Amino acid sequence: MDCRRGGLRWIRQIGGILHRKDQDVYVRLQRHLDRQPVGFPATPSGAELRILRHIFTPEEAEIAACLSWRPEPVEIIYARARHLAASPEALEAALQGIRHKGGLESTVKEDRTHYCNAPLVVGMYEMQLDRLTPEFVADFNAYTADRRFGIAFLGTALPQMRTIPVGKSIHPRHHAATFDTVTTLLEQAEGPFLLLECICRRKREMEGSPCRVTERKETCLAMGAIARSVLEGGTGREITRREAMALIEENQREGLVLQPSNTEKAEFICSCCGCCCGMLEMHRKLPRPLEYWAANFQAAVDPGRCNGCGKCERRCQVDAIQVLSPEGTATVDLDRCIGCGVCVAVCPTEAAVLVKKPVETRPPRTREELNEILMARKQGGIDRLKLTGRLVLDAVRTGRTDLLKRLAR
């Protein structure tokens, strides 16, 4: 009996050692990812480690910690990971397995595949489309609700996404740049074109809250390098450029907000609704969200033309328009309007129009250039404290005191 008890104690001790070893692997990966252009901070709940366990085995986590935010060929990565793989060929097989699970990104340069780390958002999370579980969703919600994640996500020098107007809201007098015109983005985009189900809508449906704007699931579009990487991972279906144009037209008709990558050369275009999209949900919770948003237009309403029908208010996905009584005319909150043009497209009297902002913001040309900027201007601890202080002051000034509870956690 004593021998049996001793044997059980030994097994438990070994199990504890192995668990701690695995835990250390994921902690190392979390710290590595936190040093990338978009941070991945630790939180008291440990939800970030559970997210990593969902995506990576312990062995894959060690390999992922050898990658960079810059895409690199296998030979370069192998110089750092030779203790983890018997050969460059074995390492590439492991990298392809991680990519298949959405744990990294890849691109092709000079006929060679290059691999790099991916941020959680926009990146690893969106690539979990076919791997969503209730447990992962719970951990993702817990992590993204933590102020540490919020500060890291909002504190980047530039946002990863931007808003462009729907086509019906743009007129020649606007002199809209090519990077703010969705048809031009699609015409100039590099193929292939990949149609994807919106992960935000699938997640919300799993939580019992189906989308209130559209019944369609496949509304997201990837192009170029991202499309190739996702397609090789076994997700989505390839469509033609013409089919991509038709998809975006239908998305605009239904009142979805167009949010491409924050680059001149679009690599994805999300078509978003306020009831499901995590980005727009964050926007609605911030006291002055436009400080963290990229958009070159804003809406305005001519009170002489407005008949107070309320269509613009009902269509707005970010609660930026109200029809006020007793005047019965629509008013735009310029601290919240993202210039998507959805309100303009449904206004029966043409009272709602888009106005170009005085200073046009030109996005970086590619995502690699965007990441270079984010890395060069990555915030330190003092910057994060300043951002927290600014959010607190904005919350007090605007009366959005619900944000203070989240910042206090």
Side-chain angles (χ1 to χ4, degrees), residues 281-321:
E281 180 183 12
M282 178 180 285
H283 176 284
R284 290 201 311 276
K285 289 178 179 178
L286 291 170
R288 298 183 66 189
L290 289 196
E291 293 183 6
Y292 316 98
W293 217 259
N296 281 321
F297 290 85
Q298 58 192 25
V301 174
D302 180 350
R305 286 176 173 265
C306 180
N307 65 5
C309 68
K311 287 185 177 180
C312 57
E313 182 178 6
R314 291 190 292 274
R315 266 293 176 101
C316 182
Q317 302 298 314
V318 291
D319 303 332
I321 302 183

Side-chain angles (χ1 to χ4, degrees), residues 154-206:
L154 294 174
T156 56
L158 296 172
Q160 296 178 75
M161 300 171 71
R162 59 196 178 94
T163 301
I164 60 172
V166 298
K168 194 175 178 181
S169 66
I170 291 290
H171 298 281
R173 66 174 181 273
H174 285 124
H175 303 292
T178 56
F179 51 77
D180 274 334
T181 308
V182 68
T183 52
T184 307
L185 282 179
L186 290 171
E187 287 166 358
Q188 296 180 351
E190 178 186 336
F193 294 86
L194 191 66
L195 179 59
L196 294 160
E197 182 177 338
C198 174
I199 193 169
C200 296
R201 291 193 186 93
R202 180 181 286 192
K203 175 172 124 19
R204 291 296 288 165
E205 197 166 73
M206 286 177 64

Side-chain angles (χ1 to χ4, degrees), residues 18-293:
L18 292 175
H19 176 75
R20 287 194 297 273
K21 183 180 178 182
D22 286 353
Q23 184 86 348
D24 290 344
V25 166
Y26 293 112
V27 169
R28 286 198 297 273
L29 179 56
Q30 174 268 312
R31 291 173 179 170
H32 173 74
L33 294 176
D34 197 33
R35 293 190 291 269
Q36 307 303 302
V38 181
F40 189 71
T43 64
S45 73
E48 69 283 357
L49 302 181
R50 295 191 293 275
I51 288 171
L52 294 179
R53 284 195 200 95
H54 175 86
I55 302 172
F56 304 89
T57 66
E59 295 76 19
E60 290 170 340
E62 289 193 278
I63 291 173
C66 295
L67 298 179
S68 168
W69 54 275
R70 290 190 179 97
E72 296 174 324
V74 170
E75 292 76 12
I76 298 296
I77 302 168
Y78 185 68
R80 296 192 292 268
R82 62 174 63 246
H83 61 294
L84 301 172
S87 65
E89 292 75 20
L91 176 61
E92 182 145 36
L95 291 171
Q96 289 175 352
I98 300 171
R99 179 185 62 187
H100 187 78
K101 296 196 296 181
L104 56 80
E105 294 179 12
S106 66
T107 187
V108 176
K109 297 182 179 182
E110 299 176 353
D111 297 325
R112 299 172 68 196
T113 302
H114 290 53
Y115 301 90
C116 63
N117 287 128
L120 179 63
V121 181
V122 179
M124 291 188 288
Y125 165 65
E126 285 76 13
M127 290 188 280
Q128 300 308 301
L129 183 62
D130 295 329
R131 305 182 73 246
L132 281 185
T133 65
E135 294 77 16
F136 178 82
V137 168
D139 288 328
F140 180 80
N141 288 344
Y143 184 59
T144 54
D146 191 283
R147 68 175 175 84
R148 294 160 187 81
F149 169 82
I151 294 299
F153 189 78
L154 294 174
T156 56
L158 296 172
Q160 296 178 75
M161 300 171 71
R162 59 196 178 94
T163 301
I164 60 172
V166 298
K168 194 175 178 181
S169 66
I170 291 290
H171 298 281
R173 66 174 181 273
H174 285 124
H175 303 292
T178 56
F179 51 77
D180 274 334
T181 308
V182 68
T183 52
T184 307
L185 282 179
L186 290 171
E187 287 166 358
Q188 296 180 351
E190 178 186 336
F193 294 86
L194 191 66
L195 179 59
L196 294 160
E197 182 177 338
C198 174
I199 193 169
C200 296
R201 291 193 186 93
R202 180 181 286 192
K203 175 172 124 19
R204 291 296 288 165
E205 197 166 73
M206 286 177 64
E207 296 169 324
S209 301
C211 184
R212 299 191 299 271
V213 177
T214 180
E215 294 181 353
R216 293 180 303 123
K217 303 292 191 296
E218 293 181 322
T219 58
C220 294
L221 191 64
M223 297 154 278
I226 287 186
R228 284 192 294 272
S229 181
V230 176
L231 193 60
E232 289 173 4
T235 303
R237 60 186 178 92
E238 190 172 352
I239 60 175
T240 66
R241 190 186 303 268
R242 179 173 294 182
E243 288 173 321
M245 292 274 195
L247 168 78
I248 293 298
E249 280 296 322
E250 179 64 18
N251 292 351
Q252 292 178 87
R253 279 194 293 271
E254 289 201 295
L256 299 176
V257 175
L258 303 181
Q259 297 196 101
S261 52
N262 192 14
T263 53
E264 289 188 34
K265 180 181 177 182
E267 293 193 331
F268 62 83
I269 300 178
C270 290
S271 296
C272 305
C273 58
C275 54
C276 301
C277 173
M279 297 291 288
L280 297 185
E281 180 183 12
M282 178 180 285
H283 176 284
R284 290 201 311 276
K285 289 178 179 178
L286 291 170
R288 298 183 66 189
L290 289 196
E291 293 183 6
Y292 316 98
W293 217 259

